[in-house]
Amino acid sequence: MRMGVLDIGSNTGHLLVVDAFRGGPPVAAYSYKEPLRLAEHLEHGAVTEDGVRRLVAFCQEAKRAAEDQGCSEVMAFATSAVREASNAEDVIAEVNASTGLDLQVLGGADEARLTFLAVRRWFGWSAGRMGVFDIGGGSLEIAAGADESPDVAYSLPLGAGRLTRDWIDAGCGVDDLRRHVRAEIAAGAGPILRAGAFDHAVATSKTFRSLARVCGAAPSGEGRFVRRSLAHADLLTLVDKLRELTVEEVADMPGVSADRAHQLLAGALVADATMSLFGLERLEVCPWALREGVLLERIDRL
């Protein structure tokens, strides 16, 4: 069965087409994405008219691409940028009326839960108790547990794009941002820390992958089955370096895309705080994340 999942994130719109079947992993067949930067198209808490136009145009093209690829079903969801917009209902209604899609808003806890599901399936039951961390454009998702469903799953407004816009671009000091991020993460860390250490601490999604690549992890061209990780010691060195670099210099680093280079410092501060407060010397990097979690849950229900 060929299926598509359309992910409208705070940074990027991404259509992933897979061949899916029960009893095996979804196999990627096609990918189409565009840097929408919806988190940067917010004014007074609402998605701007230009942001909505860009979103509708992308969704129309993504639907056509899914049809061309032979998808029998397209699951479409939006995360924090749309979820928290004051005009979210109007945005969703316009997209669905213009495209015929059934775009839904995914809650923060569900985002964390589905990402955890994808990571659990990737590592398997032998992985034991896992902690899963995902830095997106608008939010940080944290989940932990020993089963397929996490014991704890929640979302914090600590995405790399959001923090860049609200703090760095607004002229706030990096040290002020560092204190803010640590206070936010620490406030909710207690229930996870009281349950004990992780057997595996795992990072997912683009920001963590970029940080790991800059710190020496294998490039994506070597395949998804190559083990990749991010050491806290290496990350601390990178944070100090990022404070001094221009956006153009950051964009020249391995694994950093030009459209996300300006967000890497904020993302690195969130990653540093996460590893520090949860006592993690190293994070394993998982190639599966939210999109795969959405697909896996849908396959389970077929």
Side-chain angles (χ1 to χ4, degrees):
M1 181 179 185
R2 179 157 284 197
M3 306 168 68
V5 58
L6 180 59
D7 174 2
I8 304 301
S10 297
N11 282 318
T12 305
H14 189 168
L15 169 70
L16 177 66
V17 174
V18 303
D19 291 315
F21 55 95
R22 288 183 62 87
V27 179
Y30 176 81
S31 176
Y32 170 68
K33 57 186 176 181
E34 184 176 318
L36 297 174
R37 292 188 178 180
L38 286 181
E40 299 175 17
H41 285 82
L42 296 174
E43 287 184 2
H44 309 295
V47 182
T48 64
E49 290 185 7
D50 182 57
V52 175
R53 282 195 297 270
R54 286 169 57 86
L55 175 58
V56 168
F58 170 77
C59 287
Q60 289 172 333
E61 186 59 35
K63 185 185 180 186
R64 283 192 291 269
E67 292 171 348
D68 289 346
Q69 292 297 316
C71 289
S72 59
E73 180 179 357
V74 177
M75 294 159 288
F77 64 88
T79 56
S80 64
V82 175
R83 179 171 69 229
E84 297 168 13
S86 59
N87 60 340
E89 291 185 4
D90 293 337
V91 173
I92 294 295
E94 183 162 348
V95 169
N96 289 342
S98 301
T99 65
L101 292 167
D102 183 22
L103 180 65
Q104 300 288 326
V105 173
L106 193 62
D110 282 335
E111 194 173 342
R113 176 184 62 82
L114 289 166
T115 301
F116 185 92
L117 170 63
V119 174
R120 168 61 72 193
R121 293 283 179 91
W122 180 267
F123 281 92
W125 291 110
S126 63
R129 183 169 185 263
M130 297 193 314
V132 176
F133 306 93
D134 179 349
I135 303 171
S139 58
L140 164 68
E141 276 66 52
I142 299 175
D147 297 322
E148 191 156 88
S149 294
D151 300 325
V152 180
Y154 60 96
S155 178
L156 296 171
L158 298 176
R162 180 200 297 268
L163 296 177
T164 299
R165 181 189 70 241
D166 294 348
W167 289 77
I168 296 176
D169 291 348
C172 299
V174 173
D175 289 334
D176 291 334
L177 174 56
R178 181 179 183 274
R179 283 190 290 270
H180 167 73
V181 167
R182 286 176 173 255
E184 288 285 307
I185 295 174
I192 294 177
L193 291 171
R194 284 195 293 271
F198 304 127
D199 296 303
H200 287 268
V202 184
T204 71
S205 297
K206 180 65 175 177
T207 296
F208 270 121
R209 290 199 304 270
S210 294
L211 292 170
R213 177 72 185 97
V214 172
C215 289
S220 59
E222 293 189 15
R224 61 178 181 170
F225 294 110
V226 174
R227 291 186 177 181
R228 297 173 175 87
S229 66
L230 173 64
H232 193 205
D234 294 336
L235 178 61
L236 289 174
T237 300
L238 177 60
V239 169
D240 289 339
K241 186 176 181 179
L242 289 173
R243 286 172 176 256
E244 307 298 328
L245 296 179
T246 66
V247 172
E248 292 74 20
E249 289 170 329
V250 174
D252 286 337
M253 289 178 156
V256 180
S257 57
D259 61 291
R260 290 177 184 252
H262 66 299
Q263 302 179 7
L264 197 64
L265 174 56
L269 291 172
V270 176
D272 170 32
T274 299
M275 297 182 79
S276 177
L277 293 168
F278 285 97
L280 306 173
E281 294 183 2
R282 184 175 295 272
L283 283 167
E284 300 171 74
V285 178
C286 179
W288 278 6
L290 177 58
R291 285 182 292 275
E292 287 78 11
V294 170
L295 284 164
L296 290 166
E297 184 171 73
R298 176 64 181 131
I299 294 168
D300 287 349
R301 292 176 177 174
L302 289 176

